[in-house]
Amino acid sequence: MQALILAGGKGTRLRPLTVYTPKPVVPICNRPFLLYQVDTLRGAGITNITLSLSYQPQKIEQQLGDGSDYGVHIKYTTEPQPMGTAGAYKFAEEHIREPTVVFNGDILTDIDLKAVIRQHKERNATATIVLTPVENPSAYGLVETDAEGRVLRFLEKPKAEEIKVNTINAGTYVLEPSVLDLIPAGENYSFEYNLFPDLLARGEKFYAHVPEASYWIDIGTPERYLQVHHDLLAGRVGGGKQFERRGTFESATAATIDEQSVVANDCVLKPGAEVINSVLGEGCYIEEKARIENSVVWAHTRVGAGAQVSNAIIGRGCHIGRSAQIERGTVLGDKTSLTDYTYTGDAQ
Ligand code: GDD
Ligand code: MG
């Protein structure tokens, strides 16, 4: 078994965070996102991993290298232009020799991958797709199955009146190499719009795997990016997800950091600063009486005295002026500088 991670999307819904940082390596509790997927694969004994890139590929290669730091072997393919999800798998054909676990490069889950692979083999399936329940399937791929778990229908981004079940495509597949023959070379081709409907039309053995209760999230919007942090901080994600809660940093005795918060190396917290249910990246500087709550702050950002940051995402190298009030839903791109007393949203 080998793996392919689809990591070529532009991450438009995560802008401005993804202007300088491609979505696959946005920091999650200060670790590049893809490392959580690498951990899941390694945990299932899969060490041969191909990353399928398109947008800002050098930035991703730079961070993950050949994978040896993480106990795996990583190869890269870079499409000249985005080929679509199935087109990207076809483009990686020369690296694909075995049945392959394919991950969408923006989902975080604590699923038991070994169980998925076991079931795929037992059923002698051509393709297995993992499902997860969500409240509103309209932003996802809707999947209907029969009682034996055979996929009956796949409908990407369904309209309200088309939604009859709540199970969606969780962005994890096991594919036999024979699937490659069904994808035209050199064309933009999609798993969701083309290949899956085609597998159904051909009557191929296309099965769904419905995991026991497991954590699942697509990190591709600011709300969900923040949500995954809160879930990790609160210990709601299983599967031994690793991140470092406390680096080596400087904190005044009169500063407060609650137990769940993550503070990276080289941060400075001045007297009266408060960090609550939040993540601070490396080298952040939090001045007197500034309060950071339910937020994620990327590396090398400075928060001025008395400023309040609540339920917000602050990019790298920002400067938040003193007494500023940054409210729920605010997302600031790298190097944003806010004048003293700035407020956002309904702060006043
Ligand atoms: N290499 C490559 N080339 N990767 C791509 C391309 C491409 O042309 N297009 C998209 N990707 C990658 C993205 O980087 C992302 O990791 C993954 O494929 C899925 O693309 P998204 O743009 O995030 O799709 P989505 O979230 O709207 O929907 C997909 O994921 C849902 C689960 O999160 C679909 O697979 C849905 O069916 C599914 O429910
Ligand atoms: Mg997505």
Side-chain angles (χ1 to χ4, degrees), residues 298-347:
W298 288 10
H300 304 293
T301 279
R302 186 179 188 107
V303 180
Q308 309 232 353
V309 176
S310 169
N311 294 283
I313 309 166
I314 313 293
R316 207 182 150 85
C318 292
H319 180 251
I320 312 288
R322 49 188 302 145
S323 299
Q325 291 193 48
I326 307 306
E327 289 294 310
R328 181 179 291 276
T330 303
V331 184
L332 302 182
D334 294 359
K335 303 186 193 133
T336 302
S337 179
L338 296 182
T339 311
D340 296 351
Y341 301 100
T342 296
Y343 63 90
T344 66
D346 50 3

Side-chain angles (χ1 to χ4, degrees), residues 6-9 13 23 52-53 79 82-85 88 104-107 139-141 154 156-157 168-171 173 192 216 218:
L6 297 171
R13 288 162 293 181
K23 178 166 73 168
S52 165
L53 309 182
E79 299 142 45
M83 301 292 288
T85 45
N104 280 357
D106 61 355
I107 49 135
Y140 302 101
F154 188 100
E156 184 66 16
K157 311 285 188 286
I168 61 128
N169 168 17
Y173 322 120
E192 297 84 349
W216 182 88
D218 173 328

Side-chain angles (χ1 to χ4, degrees), residues 70-129:
Y70 314 107
V72 295
H73 306 282
I74 300 182
K75 290 186 214 108
Y76 297 88
T77 58
T78 300
E79 299 142 45
Q81 71 278 332
M83 301 292 288
T85 45
Y89 168 63
K90 181 75 175 178
F91 190 78
E93 188 162 19
E94 60 174 315
H95 297 301
I96 299 194
R97 308 255 175 280
E98 300 167 28
T100 301
V101 171
V102 177
F103 272 152
N104 280 357
D106 61 355
I107 49 135
L108 191 123
T109 172
D110 56 11
I111 194 182
D112 179 355
L113 198 54
K114 281 186 182 162
V116 183
I117 295 165
R118 203 180 314 124
Q119 197 175 45
H120 175 85
K121 288 185 179 153
E122 278 164 15
R123 288 162 157 176
N124 201 14
T126 306
T128 296
I129 180 169

Side-chain angles (χ1 to χ4, degrees), residues 148-162:
E148 274 73 55
R150 211 156 167 152
V151 177
L152 296 176
R153 191 159 180 240
F154 188 100
L155 199 54
E156 184 66 16
K157 311 285 188 286
K159 300 198 186 74
E161 64 272 18
E162 294 172 317

Side-chain angles (χ1 to χ4, degrees), residues 136-189:
N136 178 8
S138 62
Y140 302 101
L142 189 72
V143 185
E144 290 176 20
T145 63
D146 69 11
E148 274 73 55
R150 211 156 167 152
V151 177
L152 296 176
R153 191 159 180 240
F154 188 100
L155 199 54
E156 184 66 16
K157 311 285 188 286
K159 300 198 186 74
E161 64 272 18
E162 294 172 317
I163 300 173
K164 301 206 171 57
V165 293
N166 71 343
T167 39
I168 61 128
N169 168 17
T172 300
Y173 322 120
V174 184
L175 304 177
E176 291 298 311
S178 61
V179 168
L180 285 166
D181 301 334
L182 304 176
I183 304 171
E187 267 180 47
N188 189 297
Y189 208 71

